[in-house]
Amino acid sequence: MPYRSLADFLEDLAHSGSLLRIDQEFQPRWEVAAATAELSRRGNQANLFANISDCQAAVVTNLLASPQHVLRALAAKSLDEVAGRVGEFLQQNDSRGWLRRMVGSDEAALRWQPKLVKSGLCQQTVRLGDDVDLRQLPLLTAWTADVGPSISLAPLITISANSEQSAACGYDLLVLDRMRLAVFWQLPDVAARQFEEYRRQAKPMPVAIALGGDPSLRLITSCSLTREFDGLVWSGMLRGQPLDVVRGKTIDLRVPADADVVIEGVIDPSEPFALCGPLGSETGYARMPTRAPVIHVRAITQRANPILPLYIPGLAGGELPAMRAAMERICLPLVQAMIPDLVDLHRPGLGGDDGLTVVSIDKLYAAQALHVAHACWSWPPLMHAKVLIVVDAAVNVRDLSQVWSAVATSVAPGRDTPIVNGAISLLDHAAPTPLVGGKLLLDATTKLPGEHSRAWPEKNSLPDDVLQSVRAQLKLS
């Protein structure tokens, strides 16, 4: 059964010996991040900081720092089981309807739509107006370059100005003062597109940030592969049961009923963006100062004893690698629905999600690698892939020694290394200018006639019958 609350999930982790409770007092400025960094080198347990200075709420870091934690969060025995749910979901109707189903706008997805309930634990305590103070929450300042406390990969809930279509994706937020947050998004993020709808209509855009609750929502909203779709629907599908939601106290949005803390606010489209930063990022470098829309907080609602699951960006050995690996496997049917030639995909997290991407294909025709690269760059979740390596299906995309061996032996510089200009991530500080820059393809596939004027050599191999005979003689399984 899915978890109804973060506290239930933590209790389960504690019983399995996967939760470390820390009762000493820690400062949210640097100390929690430093402690998490040290603990991450010693294991992948979740860390519950029960005593944060001048704050009533507790903090948990590295919540989903291992594959076992992820499987517990999804109430599943294997990632293949969860990926099978996604594949089955996509195959329910014709392929043209897959996008419509994933965003929950046709009958096939109704069973995963959030369920509206009258009340929720997330509204046990309500602060409005002058009682709102973001500084009372244990929000972290992780790195020395950070200009203030922030929330990384915060589940941001938005809704279209033209329809009832909602979205829930993870974004970085910077605390500006007691009642204002800056949100860092970039086109073509769905929230940014929805903001343009409100701007054209000169209407304030309602937003909500949901922290805590069922850990499946945190897993979904941390994944850039699902940014196009409603994380609330995704969460319901992956947990096998719709999320309960309640109406916001000050905005016309539905928020997870069992969240620990919900921050409600609006963005005024007539207001100039604020210059914000620097701020630590998943690349391991500080995000350069940039202009970002401002959320004016109207309400903070919470459970009686909230626990905030907070992510520390760019932390070596943190929880993002485990979440990334899980979501790659779970979302593979979705990626293949968009790019049929793709066999597998891996983003090892070097330089963040967009720094390096490896995909494999079953090579059938000349220039297929280039075709797949352009398909990847045209799909919003992969459009910022900076270095894209395409390998043959026989290469394990998660074994970087195999990947770089294929690059070293099968890439001819010049012919197999085209550079294209296009949209790049705002986090790419190496680009000469922001937003637009170069992206590199490394075609490490076997070359077919039309791509290579010489015969391609056969790879070293041994006969299967000889290998089996030798294993039997050596009594090897």
Short mmCIF file of all heavy atoms in Angstrom, two decimals, residues 108-129:
data_model
loop_
_atom_site.label_atom_id
_atom_site.label_comp_id
_atom_site.label_asym_id
_atom_site.label_seq_id
_atom_site.Cartn_x
_atom_site.Cartn_y
_atom_site.Cartn_z
N ALA A 108 -8.75 7.10 -19.99
CA ALA A 108 -7.81 6.06 -19.57
C ALA A 108 -7.03 6.46 -18.33
O ALA A 108 -6.52 5.60 -17.62
CB ALA A 108 -6.84 5.74 -20.72
N ALA A 109 -6.93 7.75 -18.08
CA ALA A 109 -6.13 8.22 -16.94
C ALA A 109 -6.99 8.64 -15.75
O ALA A 109 -6.45 9.06 -14.73
CB ALA A 109 -5.25 9.40 -17.37
N LEU A 110 -8.31 8.52 -15.85
CA LEU A 110 -9.16 9.02 -14.79
C LEU A 110 -8.90 8.33 -13.45
O LEU A 110 -9.02 8.94 -12.39
CB LEU A 110 -10.64 8.86 -15.17
CG LEU A 110 -11.14 9.81 -16.27
CD1 LEU A 110 -12.60 9.53 -16.58
CD2 LEU A 110 -10.95 11.27 -15.84
N ARG A 111 -8.51 7.05 -13.49
CA ARG A 111 -8.32 6.34 -12.22
C ARG A 111 -7.10 6.83 -11.47
O ARG A 111 -6.94 6.55 -10.29
CB ARG A 111 -8.20 4.84 -12.47
CG ARG A 111 -7.09 4.43 -13.42
CD ARG A 111 -7.01 2.93 -13.50
NE ARG A 111 -6.15 2.50 -14.59
CZ ARG A 111 -5.60 1.30 -14.66
NH1 ARG A 111 -5.80 0.43 -13.70
NH2 ARG A 111 -4.85 0.97 -15.69
N TRP A 112 -6.19 7.58 -12.17
CA TRP A 112 -5.00 8.10 -11.49
C TRP A 112 -5.13 9.57 -11.15
O TRP A 112 -4.24 10.14 -10.53
CB TRP A 112 -3.76 7.89 -12.37
CG TRP A 112 -3.58 6.50 -12.86
CD1 TRP A 112 -3.44 6.10 -14.16
CD2 TRP A 112 -3.51 5.30 -12.08
NE1 TRP A 112 -3.29 4.75 -14.24
CE2 TRP A 112 -3.33 4.23 -12.97
CE3 TRP A 112 -3.59 5.04 -10.71
CZ2 TRP A 112 -3.24 2.91 -12.53
CZ3 TRP A 112 -3.50 3.72 -10.28
CH2 TRP A 112 -3.32 2.68 -11.18
N GLN A 113 -6.24 10.20 -11.56
CA GLN A 113 -6.43 11.61 -11.25
C GLN A 113 -6.52 11.81 -9.74
O GLN A 113 -7.11 10.99 -9.02
CB GLN A 113 -7.71 12.12 -11.90
CG GLN A 113 -7.60 12.31 -13.40
CD GLN A 113 -6.87 13.59 -13.77
OE1 GLN A 113 -6.40 14.30 -12.91
NE2 GLN A 113 -6.79 13.87 -15.05
N PRO A 114 -5.94 12.88 -9.20
CA PRO A 114 -6.05 13.15 -7.77
C PRO A 114 -7.51 13.18 -7.31
O PRO A 114 -8.40 13.62 -8.03
CB PRO A 114 -5.38 14.52 -7.61
CG PRO A 114 -4.46 14.63 -8.78
CD PRO A 114 -5.14 13.90 -9.90
N LYS A 115 -7.72 12.70 -6.09
CA LYS A 115 -9.07 12.62 -5.52
C LYS A 115 -9.28 13.79 -4.56
O LYS A 115 -8.56 13.93 -3.58
CB LYS A 115 -9.24 11.29 -4.78
CG LYS A 115 -10.59 11.13 -4.10
CD LYS A 115 -10.63 9.83 -3.30
CE LYS A 115 -11.94 9.69 -2.52
NZ LYS A 115 -11.93 8.45 -1.71
N LEU A 116 -10.28 14.63 -4.84
CA LEU A 116 -10.56 15.79 -4.00
C LEU A 116 -11.26 15.35 -2.72
O LEU A 116 -12.30 14.68 -2.77
CB LEU A 116 -11.42 16.79 -4.76
CG LEU A 116 -11.77 18.08 -4.01
CD1 LEU A 116 -10.50 18.88 -3.72
CD2 LEU A 116 -12.75 18.92 -4.82
N VAL A 117 -10.70 15.74 -1.57
CA VAL A 117 -11.30 15.44 -0.27
C VAL A 117 -11.59 16.76 0.45
O VAL A 117 -11.07 17.82 0.08
CB VAL A 117 -10.38 14.54 0.58
CG1 VAL A 117 -10.20 13.18 -0.08
CG2 VAL A 117 -9.02 15.19 0.81
N LYS A 118 -12.41 16.71 1.48
CA LYS A 118 -12.86 17.94 2.15
C LYS A 118 -11.78 18.57 3.01
O LYS A 118 -11.72 19.80 3.17
CB LYS A 118 -14.11 17.65 2.98
CG LYS A 118 -15.33 17.30 2.13
CD LYS A 118 -16.55 17.09 3.02
CE LYS A 118 -17.79 16.77 2.17
NZ LYS A 118 -18.98 16.54 3.03
N SER A 119 -10.95 17.76 3.63
CA SER A 119 -9.94 18.30 4.54
C SER A 119 -8.68 17.46 4.47
O SER A 119 -8.73 16.30 4.04
CB SER A 119 -10.47 18.34 5.98
OG SER A 119 -10.75 17.03 6.45
N GLY A 120 -7.58 18.07 4.90
CA GLY A 120 -6.30 17.36 4.85
C GLY A 120 -5.41 17.77 6.01
O GLY A 120 -5.53 18.88 6.56
N LEU A 121 -4.49 16.87 6.35
CA LEU A 121 -3.56 17.16 7.44
C LEU A 121 -2.65 18.33 7.12
O LEU A 121 -2.11 18.96 8.02
CB LEU A 121 -2.72 15.91 7.74
CG LEU A 121 -3.49 14.70 8.28
CD1 LEU A 121 -2.56 13.51 8.44
CD2 LEU A 121 -4.17 15.04 9.59
N CYS A 122 -2.49 18.62 5.83
CA CYS A 122 -1.61 19.72 5.44
C CYS A 122 -2.15 21.07 5.88
O CYS A 122 -1.44 22.08 5.81
CB CYS A 122 -1.39 19.73 3.92
SG CYS A 122 -2.82 20.20 2.95
N GLN A 123 -3.40 21.13 6.34
CA GLN A 123 -4.01 22.40 6.75
C GLN A 123 -4.41 22.40 8.23
O GLN A 123 -5.30 23.12 8.65
CB GLN A 123 -5.21 22.70 5.86
CG GLN A 123 -4.83 22.94 4.41
CD GLN A 123 -6.01 23.11 3.49
OE1 GLN A 123 -7.15 22.78 3.84
NE2 GLN A 123 -5.76 23.61 2.28
N GLN A 124 -3.69 21.58 9.03
CA GLN A 124 -3.95 21.60 10.47
C GLN A 124 -3.60 22.96 11.08
O GLN A 124 -4.25 23.42 12.00
CB GLN A 124 -3.15 20.49 11.15
CG GLN A 124 -3.71 19.09 10.92
CD GLN A 124 -2.90 18.03 11.64
OE1 GLN A 124 -1.68 18.09 11.67
NE2 GLN A 124 -3.59 17.07 12.22
N THR A 125 -2.53 23.56 10.58
CA THR A 125 -2.14 24.91 11.00
C THR A 125 -2.11 25.80 9.77
O THR A 125 -1.52 25.41 8.74
CB THR A 125 -0.76 24.91 11.68
OG1 THR A 125 -0.80 24.06 12.83
CG2 THR A 125 -0.35 26.31 12.09
N VAL A 126 -2.73 26.97 9.85
CA VAL A 126 -2.80 27.89 8.70
C VAL A 126 -2.29 29.25 9.13
O VAL A 126 -2.75 29.82 10.13
CB VAL A 126 -4.25 28.00 8.17
CG1 VAL A 126 -4.31 28.99 7.02
CG2 VAL A 126 -4.77 26.63 7.74
N ARG A 127 -1.34 29.77 8.36
CA ARG A 127 -0.82 31.13 8.60
C ARG A 127 -1.14 31.98 7.38
O ARG A 127 -0.80 31.62 6.26
CB ARG A 127 0.68 31.10 8.87
CG ARG A 127 1.06 30.41 10.17
CD ARG A 127 2.56 30.53 10.43
NE ARG A 127 2.93 29.95 11.72
CZ ARG A 127 3.25 28.69 11.90
NH1 ARG A 127 3.26 27.86 10.87
NH2 ARG A 127 3.58 28.24 13.10
N LEU A 128 -1.77 33.13 7.63
CA LEU A 128 -2.19 34.02 6.55
C LEU A 128 -1.66 35.43 6.82
O LEU A 128 -1.34 35.78 7.97
CB LEU A 128 -3.71 34.07 6.45
CG LEU A 128 -4.46 32.74 6.27
CD1 LEU A 128 -5.96 32.96 6.44
CD2 LEU A 128 -4.15 32.13 4.93
N GLY A 129 -1.58 36.23 5.76
CA GLY A 129 -1.26 37.65 5.90
C GLY A 129 0.04 37.89 6.63
O GLY A 129 1.08 37.32 6.31
#
